[in-house]
Amino acid sequence: MTIDISNILGEEKGVVSNFKGEVSYKDTVYQGDKISFSNPIEVNGNLSKGRDCLYIMINIRGNITIPCSRCAGEFSHEIDLSFTEEFKDIDDVVGEEELDVYTYQGTKIKLDRIIFEQILLNMPIKRLCKIDCMGLCPKCGIDLNEQKCNCDRDDDIDIRLLELKKLLPSKDREV
Ligand SMILES: [Zn+2]
Ligand SMILES: [Zn+2]
């Protein structure tokens, strides 16, 4: 998705103009997990003129499909994010300390990459299909949300409790 900044460039500081559109991505792999973009991401935003830069405020909404960290089942994850980025004219960026700012050249700014970065940055750390997902049996691999198995899994203890148990000092483990 590309926005035209030719109008706002000629404006006074503080002038705001709105834009909207959508952006589509190919499925990708992030931290070993497949992310599916089955539908386009909806983009609403505005451009505002700063003293020597442009501010772009963006809200993105949509759904992606990601695998559950416990049971590997795919589930839909809702995205509703707002962020602001500052863009400078590439000809005004001189110092090395400014190398990490976003730049524009000419009268168009392509938003695909910065939106993609925000989606990845805001991926949930724990990706669970549901808060109480039982996960897979570590012994036989059965999906414990759907079936039970007869494996000896430390008294059928929940994985979360198991993680918690590891953190506790050993004298408290006899509870
Ligand atoms: Zn799950
Ligand atoms: Zn099992």
Side-chain angles (χ1 to χ4, degrees), residues 68 71 129 133 145:
C68 173
C71 71
C129 62
C133 173
N145 297 304

Side-chain angles (χ1 to χ4, degrees), residues 6-17:
S6 52
N7 288 335
I8 196 110
L9 285 179
E11 293 288 355
E12 300 287 309
K13 173 173 175 277
V15 171
V16 175
S17 92

